[in-house]
Amino acid sequence: MAEKYKRADGRDYDETRKMEAKVGVVKRADGSAIFSFGKSQALACVYGPRQFHPQHLQNPEKGVLRCYYDMTSFSVPERKRPGPNRRASEISFVTSRALETVIPLENYPNSVIDCYILILQADASTRCAGINAAALALASAGIPMKEMVSAVSVGKIGGAIVADISKDEEDYEIVKDGKTIKSATDIPFAILSRSEKISLLQLDGRIKPEDLKEAIAMAKKVCRKINEIQKKALKKIKEE
Amino acid sequence: MTLKKETEDIETSEKEIDSGECESRTIVTPGEVVAEGNDFLPGEGTRREGKEILAQKFGLLEKNNKLVKIIPLSGAYVSRPGNVIIGRVVDITFNGWLIDILSTHEAFLSIMECYGYVNKRDLTELYDFNDLIVAKIKSVKARSIDLSMKERGFKKLEGGMLVRINSTRVPRVIGKAGSMVGMIKDETGCNIIVGQNGLVWINGSKVENELLAKKAIEMIVEKPFQEGLTEKVKEFLSKNKIK
């Protein structure tokens, strides 16, 4: 493929879309935040630790982090049927797993921390925007966290490893033997800010092992930048 | 008059956590290095990793001599033994009451922890459903929170109004050694009890006075880091005083 072509929207390979973060957007929540990658925008609200009902779901050894991921019906071009579906419950699950590693849940036995993630506008990488918003909301809810969590999607489009895939890139197709096949690879990553451990890695598409290594390195580099934006958003609170 | 004295007893018995000044404090985020070397001790909201002390919470960093700790800026109430709280009766069992104190669990008040005579045949005589009470947290365990009302000043709250604020703002509302809440009490003539769980009970002879006290408290909660906050609240109160 062409060597130094920039991407369709003029970004560099390791450049994300314009990121925006704001903390404390929902007054009645214990913690809340908005995070956006360009047109992808996620709102996260955190409540708790609070009483966990029904009681049979309680864990006497450690607290539970419950994440709910949902897309608003107006977030996509074609109206999405409201309510959770198979995809949403999968993302809810991986989000909780990505975030609970940093929270010392053993301090909250029998109780629950609820984290509601709502996608206001979807343009690919919504689960990453959701995790970034949720990490901010958890921090702003005063919940102890060993470190912050930042997420980004890295993919392989037409032979190039690129960060923060947009919807157009995700739908990239090539024609082979008269058939159109989806050829984009999308890997959402969630990376801890300090130890740079990976708490979420999903793979949609195909990738070679050596390319995956490159993708991980790029994700770590980009997540450092995202972490700076998260920190800035949290520190802004004092001025208000 | 005796009522007022009793409530004052409660506030003076509360330990002061937060003082007025905030110039030297910075905001830290989880995972940030807040101190290096073995000279410092990790306090609340921090942990040690090798030679560094890391923030484990989002909040204001405070270095007190060698102790490094983080004061939370927001979040739900975490119950601690010794806290004076306001709660609501949600259930009655054969030997006590279950109280909602806006924490991770419902708290339990045993009849053994009540002052004076209790009719065991009918506990509703003392505290019925939905009654508000001021009590002290006796102990916090993994599964339960126990309350005590044996000391002076703990009682059922009747009349007045209840305001809910964030529990992290409670030290601001109380002020240094109760200076802020004392000033609001004097200016409005209302009786005020501030629960550590963020519930504030205001009781005055006139509704207008209660509303004025409520407004003053909301003012403190909205702008807790203002300089000369006490003066501003005092000015607001004397300006809007109802004769």
Side-chain angles (χ1 to χ4, degrees):
Chain A
M1 293 302 284
E3 277 311 295
K4 258 296 168 190
Y5 265 130
K6 279 198 175 173
R7 295 205 255 165
D9 48 6
R11 280 187 281 154
D12 253 331
Y13 290 158
D14 63 347
E15 196 180 339
T16 64
R17 287 169 284 176
K18 192 170 179 267
M19 291 183 281
E20 266 176 76
K22 204 175 175 216
V23 171
V25 280
V26 178
K27 241 189 168 179
R28 306 260 337 231
D30 289 324
S32 62
I34 275 186
F35 191 93
S36 53
F37 279 123
K39 283 179 192 160
S40 286
Q41 191 170 50
L43 166 71
C45 294
V46 169
Y47 298 84
R50 63 178 176 181
Q51 280 178 46
F52 196 177
H53 289 295
Q55 236 174 25
H56 69 86
L57 291 175
Q58 289 183 2
N59 186 343
E61 280 187 359
K62 64 186 184 82
V64 175
L65 174 69
R66 262 196 307 196
C67 289
Y68 293 95
Y69 168 99
D70 199 7
M71 284 167 96
T72 49
S73 50
F74 51 82
S75 63
V76 274
E78 186 101 356
R79 183 184 134 94
K80 183 211 165 256
R81 199 169 162 266
N85 50 18
R86 194 206 60 80
R87 178 179 171 271
S89 41
E90 179 203 311
I91 296 178
S92 306
F93 177 73
V94 294
T95 307
S96 353
R97 293 298 294 269
L99 293 168
E100 71 184 10
T101 49
V102 295
I103 304 171
L105 283 170
E106 61 276 8
N107 297 342
Y108 307 106
N110 289 328
S111 47
V112 66
I113 300 166
D114 278 318
C115 177
Y116 299 91
I117 301 162
L118 197 61
I119 305 301
L120 304 175
Q121 196 164 257
D123 185 30
S125 306
T126 54
R127 74 190 70 186
C128 298
I131 290 171
N132 288 335
L136 280 173
L138 283 167
S140 78
I143 289 164
M145 293 164 87
K146 285 171 195 144
E147 42 201 315
M148 280 298 280
V149 183
S150 315
V152 73
S153 63
V154 177
K156 195 179 172 193
I157 313 289
I161 306 283
V162 295
D164 186 25
I165 298 165
S166 68
K167 187 73 188 153
D168 293 336
E169 289 169 327
E170 201 180 64
D171 296 339
Y172 177 79
E173 285 165 342
I174 50 165
V175 182
K176 204 175 180 186
D177 306 328
K179 276 186 234 161
T180 54
I181 34 173
K182 273 202 170 181
S183 76
T185 307
D186 177 16
I187 317 167
F189 282 99
I191 290 172
L192 311 187
S193 66
R194 208 179 125 77
S195 57
E196 300 210 323
K197 283 177 184 158
I198 297 166
S199 67
L200 166 79
L201 193 158
Q202 289 181 297
L203 173 62
D204 178 16
R206 288 200 236 177
I207 197 157
K208 285 181 204 145
E210 55 269 31
D211 285 344
L212 183 63
K213 274 181 194 161
E214 200 184 317
I216 291 172
M218 184 180 276
K220 282 184 178 171
K221 190 177 148 197
V222 175
C223 279
R224 253 171 257 150
K225 274 186 212 160
I226 296 172
N227 186 241
E228 287 306 312
I229 288 187
Q230 286 174 316
K231 269 191 198 167
K232 224 191 243 171
L234 283 170
K235 294 196 177 185
K236 217 174 169 186
I237 273 192
K238 201 178 179 181
E239 292 154 26
E240 282 159 13
Chain B
M1 197 57 220
T2 48
L3 204 71
K4 198 173 177 187
K5 202 165 183 312
E6 277 172 9
T7 52
E8 265 162 18
D9 277 353
I10 298 175
E11 265 128 28
T12 43
S13 70
E14 271 165 18
K15 227 171 100 187
E16 226 5 81
I17 314 160
D18 200 355
S19 53
E21 314 85 56
C22 60
E23 289 86 40
S24 59
R25 294 174 187 165
T26 51
I27 292 189
V28 289
T29 56
E32 221 172 281
V33 179
V34 291
E36 274 178 82
N38 292 324
D39 300 341
F40 290 103
L41 281 168
E44 204 174 313
T46 59
R47 81 195 147 99
R48 176 175 286 285
E49 200 179 280
K51 279 200 166 176
E52 290 160 332
I53 290 175
L54 304 176
Q56 209 172 355
K57 252 185 191 174
F58 162 65
L60 285 176
L61 177 73
E62 197 184 63
K63 282 184 190 171
N64 211 336
N65 286 328
K66 282 181 176 180
L67 188 72
V68 185
K69 67 172 185 179
I70 290 167
I71 301 158
L73 286 169
S74 52
Y77 170 65
V78 181
S79 44
R80 292 227 166 77
N83 278 179
V84 174
I85 49 89
I86 294 176
R88 189 188 293 272
V89 177
V90 287
D91 200 2
I92 301 171
T93 67
F94 71 98
N95 63 343
W97 297 264
L98 276 176
I99 316 285
D100 179 18
I101 60 164
L102 307 177
S103 187
T104 51
H105 304 278
E106 271 159 9
F108 183 69
L109 171 68
S110 162
I111 45 172
M112 305 292 291
E113 294 296 333
C114 290
Y115 180 77
Y117 172 72
V118 183
N119 183 359
K120 283 187 190 173
R121 284 192 198 152
D122 188 11
L123 293 183
T124 56
E125 268 179 24
L126 194 55
Y127 307 121
D128 206 348
F129 291 104
N130 289 325
D131 279 350
L132 289 173
I133 56 161
V134 214
K136 191 180 195 172
I137 295 180
K138 192 182 152 213
S139 68
V140 179
K141 287 172 209 145
R143 279 165 177 275
S144 61
I145 301 165
D146 287 330
L147 300 181
S148 171
M149 287 179 79
K150 267 191 173 164
E151 281 162 59
R152 262 181 84 199
F154 299 127
K155 58 177 196 255
K156 182 164 131 186
L157 299 175
E158 280 166 304
M161 62 167 76
L162 199 65
V163 184
R164 188 178 172 177
I165 60 169
N166 192 304
S167 62
T168 53
R169 303 284 188 256
V170 166
R172 293 276 150 185
V173 173
I174 293 173
K176 224 173 205 171
S179 61
M180 185 73 90
V181 76
M183 192 262 295
I184 300 174
K185 272 185 193 168
D186 292 343
E187 293 286 325
T188 61
C190 288
N191 191 358
I192 301 171
I193 297 176
V194 187
Q196 291 284 339
N197 58 344
L199 288 174
V200 184
W201 181 73
I202 309 166
N203 188 22
S205 49
K206 273 187 191 164
V207 184
E208 288 84 356
N209 286 334
E210 289 179 354
L211 287 170
L212 186 64
K214 187 186 166 188
K215 264 187 193 161
I217 288 166
E218 278 166 358
M219 207 170 128
I220 302 163
V221 172
E222 261 167 47
K223 286 179 181 160
F225 302 115
Q226 246 178 27
E227 269 175 58
L229 189 61
T230 320
E231 293 307 306
K232 272 181 191 165
V233 175
K234 194 167 188 176
E235 201 188 305
F236 166 80
L237 285 173
S238 51
K239 207 191 273 174
N240 294 290
K241 210 171 188 177
I242 293 136
K243 271 110 203 172

